[in-house]
Amino acid sequence: MSESDRRTKRAIISLDFGTAFSGFAIMHKAQDGTSSAIYNYEGKWGSNSLLGSYPKTHTALLYERNGSKYTVKSWGAPAVQDHHNNLDLRDPTRYVFLSNFKLSLDEDARLINSPLPAGLTITRVIGDYLGKLVEVALGELPKVLGSHLTKADVQWVLTVPAVWTMPAKQVMRDAAVIAGIITQAQANSRSGDLDIVKEPEAAMVYMLSKPEFSWQDKDIVLIADCGGGTIDLSLQRIESDQDDKYLRELAIANGQTCGSIFIDQRFMHYVQELVGDYHWNWLQANRPGDVLKLQLEWEKVKKQDEVPSTAKVYIDVPQSLLRRLTPADLQYLDAANNGHDIMDDGLVLTGSQIAEFAEEFVGETIRLIDDQLHNLPRFQRCKAICLVGGGGQHAILGRRVKERFEGAGRVRQVYTPPGAALAVLHGATIMGLRPSIIRYQVMPHTYGIATTRPFRADRDPQEDAIPHPDKPGTFYVDNIFDLQVRAGQTVHYGEAITSTYWPLTETQTQTAILLYESDGQCPKRATDDGVRYIGRIVLDHPSVQSYGGPYNISTEIFFGRTEIQLKAQGADGRKVQASIRVAGSLTMN
């Protein structure tokens, strides 16, 4: 989609697809480029929410299975409720319940979900879920902005973790086709109808939009997007062009699969150890609704202000579980339950126990922040650390980060902004309006094109020598890694990295441009350890003989926010281009 086509869009809908919760936001865009306030769906999920007035719903699906065919029976919070409250819907031969499936796209995820049943792929599952979210968003569009607006008027924005691999990001684009966000043709051509943006960058754009923070030119801000599954960090500097503020990335984004859902897992594991596997397994199999109630009780505790270490918090224990316990069980539990009668007082936790459940999440977040601050340019100081996302509101995390970094003078202030859970969603909406607000990125990998050069006996192993087909007695070496950009190098969005190549022989009529990536700084060969094949384009062209002279091929690589575009043009004006999809697979246009 051209910039003129983008300007015709009258609505922006952003989709924040999270590990635990997902949501959308809508903003109207006028013809003069101005925009309305961002509309949230907060408080309107109704039965689609287990947490009361909350701007997102659960990332969960319940499929009904009929042979090899799967249809969505319910999604979001209703899927969670159906799975936990209706034993008939737990029959694995007829129903499949899925949650936390976003983690399937994280190569380093420590939470391993059960394999998907035959007939379901992660692309299909994410596409089905996004499709349901899109249905609600499009249903709200005429109510919010007027019945004259339709899906064709929408500019879509979808968020992804900054640390995801390119194949994972491609899954999201393919899922967007299944969801009906874009067509397959639009996906193939990388039309601008869908922007895929990095979550911490979107959160930083949200922070930049808040006038109460009084950001100044050259302020450096570290964004820590603490979601349910992942923690994503981005170090950005605010710069200005006349009166227009924009962002420059200062370091490679870092992150980890250690989000706030792991706090929940620690709590549930504690309860399981407390009552024993026998009773716990019975509760899960026969009273899943009571397990859900326990999870919701814990969710309320987790969202409270920090509890002093010796203070106590009381959580109701399902009566169905208590009725199964023998007098000996109760005696043991009362002793283990901080000396409290579990029948009368329920589960009793101290503040120190609650902090222990969160220790891995808090500790890993602090370590990631510390690592990122070491990437600051010399003699420059970070003005603020901004904790966003649902996990960013965790009281213990906020206190510990303040103590470690603000208290030690390493940053001026640690913020947890109001509406931290919506920071990514709102920032993504603004990025749909101003796609160039982030102008510079730091390359996470080193990229190069495989090429050839003459064989040199003083530097090349003899076994690498390949006879040249046009020049008897001469040899060449292939798979040379021709550097295009290094990891850690700053690149302007939209900047073209250019190179020139020539066909190896005078008779060939086709040249392949092969792109590789590496985490190293200076790979020598495309076959070196750690070098990964990304994709290729193929240019058909006249032979050097028929062209009548040297035939040069110019290449351009454009590094977008989440994708790469590779172009080639021959000396006679012939062109080919492709957008990288996954390793070894490209879409030609």
Side-chain angles (χ1 to χ4, degrees):
M1 182 173 67
S2 67
E3 284 302 311
S4 60
D5 291 334
R6 178 185 285 271
R7 286 194 292 270
T8 65
K9 300 294 184 180
R10 290 293 163 257
I12 298 168
I13 298 180
S14 59
L15 306 170
D16 183 11
F17 169 63
T19 301
F21 298 97
S22 300
F24 68 89
I26 301 174
M27 182 169 66
H28 179 256
K29 187 176 72 170
Q31 291 184 349
D32 61 2
T34 59
S35 61
S36 66
I38 297 174
Y39 166 79
N40 300 317
Y41 200 56
E42 185 170 359
K44 297 190 177 182
W45 288 108
S47 62
N48 204 12
S49 176
L50 294 170
L51 301 176
S53 180
Y54 193 68
K56 299 179 182 179
T57 189
H58 291 69
T59 306
L61 281 169
L62 181 65
Y63 283 101
E64 186 170 2
R65 173 164 35 191
N66 184 4
S68 60
K69 183 180 179 181
Y70 295 86
T71 55
V72 176
K73 180 172 180 59
S74 55
W75 68 284
V80 177
Q81 293 170 317
D82 287 345
H83 176 67
H84 285 86
N85 295 332
N86 190 333
L87 289 178
D88 291 339
L89 300 182
R90 294 175 66 89
D91 179 356
T93 65
R94 295 184 56 202
Y95 300 98
V96 175
F97 175 75
L98 299 173
S99 63
N100 296 330
F101 42 84
K102 180 180 177 180
L103 291 179
S104 299
L105 296 180
D106 190 330
E107 294 182 349
D108 298 323
R110 289 172 291 164
L111 175 66
I112 306 299
N113 289 333
S114 300
L116 294 174
L120 283 178
T121 65
I122 188 58
T123 306
R124 158 80 186 278
V125 169
I126 295 175
D128 284 346
Y129 182 83
L130 290 177
K132 295 300 182 182
L133 199 62
V134 165
E135 284 180 15
V136 178
L138 289 176
E140 289 298 298
L141 183 64
K143 302 176 188 176
V144 177
L145 303 182
S147 59
H148 62 287
L149 292 180
T150 66
K151 181 182 173 183
D153 299 302
V154 174
Q155 171 69 44
W156 296 93
V157 186
L158 182 60
T159 65
V160 297
V163 294
W164 267 8
T165 62
M166 191 179 300
K169 295 168 186 174
Q170 176 58 38
V171 167
M172 295 303 295
R173 188 173 287 274
D174 291 340
V177 175
I178 295 173
I181 297 172
I182 53 175
T183 64
Q184 186 63 61
Q186 289 171 326
N188 292 345
S189 66
R190 289 308 190 268
S191 98
D193 293 83
L194 172 64
D195 293 333
I196 297 179
V197 303
K198 301 172 188 174
E199 290 166 358
E201 290 185 349
M204 183 60 223
V205 170
Y206 167 79
M207 294 299 299
L208 185 62
S209 72
K210 310 304 287 183
E212 59 265 33
F213 293 113
S214 302
W215 302 116
Q216 303 297 318
D217 193 36
K218 306 304 181 185
D219 280 347
I220 297 175
V221 183
L222 189 152
I223 286 285
D225 175 27
C226 306
T230 57
I231 299 172
D232 249 357
L233 283 82
S234 181
L235 192 63
Q236 301 277 345
R237 184 168 66 208
I238 298 169
E239 300 185 352
S240 60
D241 181 2
Q242 297 178 347
D243 294 329
D244 186 27
K245 285 187 172 66
Y246 62 90
L247 297 169
R248 176 191 291 266
E249 189 176 43
L250 295 181
I252 298 172
N254 67 337
Q256 181 88 21
T257 304
C258 53
S260 60
I261 63 170
F262 295 99
I263 304 176
D264 306 334
Q265 288 184 342
R266 291 286 300 275
F267 166 74
M268 299 302 281
H269 183 65
Y270 169 79
V271 177
Q272 180 177 355
E273 286 190 328
L274 190 66
V275 303
D277 290 345
Y278 175 76
H279 294 306
W280 181 255
N281 291 338
W282 177 89
L283 188 69
Q284 286 191 310
N286 297 279
R287 296 292 188 273
D290 288 344
V291 176
L292 177 61
K293 291 176 184 177
L294 186 62
Q295 291 173 336
L296 294 175
E297 287 294 313
W298 166 247
E299 190 70 27
K300 295 175 185 177
V301 171
K302 190 176 71 172
K303 291 181 178 297
Q304 291 176 1
D305 292 337
E306 185 174 2
V307 178
S309 61
T310 58
K312 296 175 180 177
V313 172
Y314 301 84
I315 298 177
D316 289 337
V317 176
Q319 289 297 311
S320 60
L321 175 61
L322 294 177
R323 286 193 294 267
R324 288 181 53 82
L325 301 177
T326 66
D329 292 331
L330 291 171
Q331 185 176 4
Y332 164 77
L333 286 174
D334 290 347
N337 194 36
N338 292 297
H340 283 259
D341 187 329
I342 197 167
M343 291 288 288
D344 293 336
D345 298 334
L347 184 64
V348 179
L349 300 175
T350 64
S352 60
Q353 284 178 302
I354 295 172
E356 186 179 339
F357 296 150
E359 181 54 37
E360 183 179 13
F361 164 69
V362 172
E364 283 295 296
T365 304
I366 288 175
R367 182 189 65 80
L368 290 167
I369 291 173
D370 188 61
D371 288 348
Q372 193 67 298
L373 288 177
H374 279 100
N375 293 320
L376 277 168
R378 292 184 64 189
F379 310 117
Q380 295 193 35
R381 185 183 179 195
C382 184
K383 178 178 180 178
I385 296 172
C386 299
L387 303 174
V388 301
Q393 301 173 98
H394 197 278
I396 297 174
L397 176 66
R399 174 182 62 80
R400 292 272 301 277
V401 171
K402 278 180 176 287
E403 291 174 351
R404 178 67 178 272
F405 300 104
E406 186 180 312
R410 294 185 63 184
V411 300
R412 296 178 190 173
Q413 194 161 0
V414 174
Y415 292 120
T416 301
L422 288 171
V424 170
L425 192 58
H426 283 197
T429 311
I430 298 169
M431 291 179 76
L433 182 69
R434 295 184 57 199
S436 62
I437 193 169
I438 298 181
R439 296 192 186 177
Y440 297 91
Q441 67 171 322
V442 177
M443 300 307 300
H445 307 291
T446 295
Y447 292 91
I449 290 175
T451 186
T452 63
R453 63 166 172 78
F455 173 77
R456 288 181 54 178
D458 61 340
R459 61 186 291 188
D460 299 320
Q462 186 61 44
E463 59 268 23
D464 289 348
I466 303 173
H468 197 290
D470 288 352
K471 302 174 182 178
T474 63
F475 301 86
Y476 71 95
V477 180
D478 66 358
N479 287 317
I480 299 301
F481 189 96
D482 187 31
L483 181 69
Q484 302 295 303
V485 62
R486 294 185 193 276
Q489 180 178 333
T490 298
V491 174
H492 191 292
Y493 283 117
E495 174 185 355
I497 309 297
T498 61
S499 295
T500 303
Y501 301 96
W502 290 264
L504 176 66
T505 72
E506 294 187 353
T507 56
Q508 74 183 67
T509 57
Q510 194 177 75
T511 297
I513 309 296
L514 280 66
L515 185 64
Y516 291 81
E517 73 173 11
S518 170
D519 296 328
Q521 287 286 309
C522 302
K524 301 300 182 184
R525 306 285 294 273
T527 52
D528 287 351
D529 290 342
V531 176
R532 300 175 293 273
Y533 171 64
I534 296 298
R536 69 174 189 166
I537 54 176
V538 177
L539 179 68
D540 294 315
H541 56 78
S543 67
V544 173
Q545 291 177 343
S546 62
Y547 185 68
Y551 188 91
N552 64 289
I553 299 171
S554 301
T555 63
E556 293 182 321
I557 305 177
F558 298 87
F559 294 95
R561 288 182 178 79
T562 57
E563 297 168 311
I564 300 172
Q565 190 171 62
L566 182 59
K567 296 182 178 182
Q569 179 171 327
D572 59 348
R574 300 188 187 202
K575 299 179 182 179
V576 65
Q577 67 181 44
S579 295
I580 302 299
R581 291 174 57 85
V582 298
S585 177
L586 297 172
T587 297
M588 298 298 184
N589 53 58

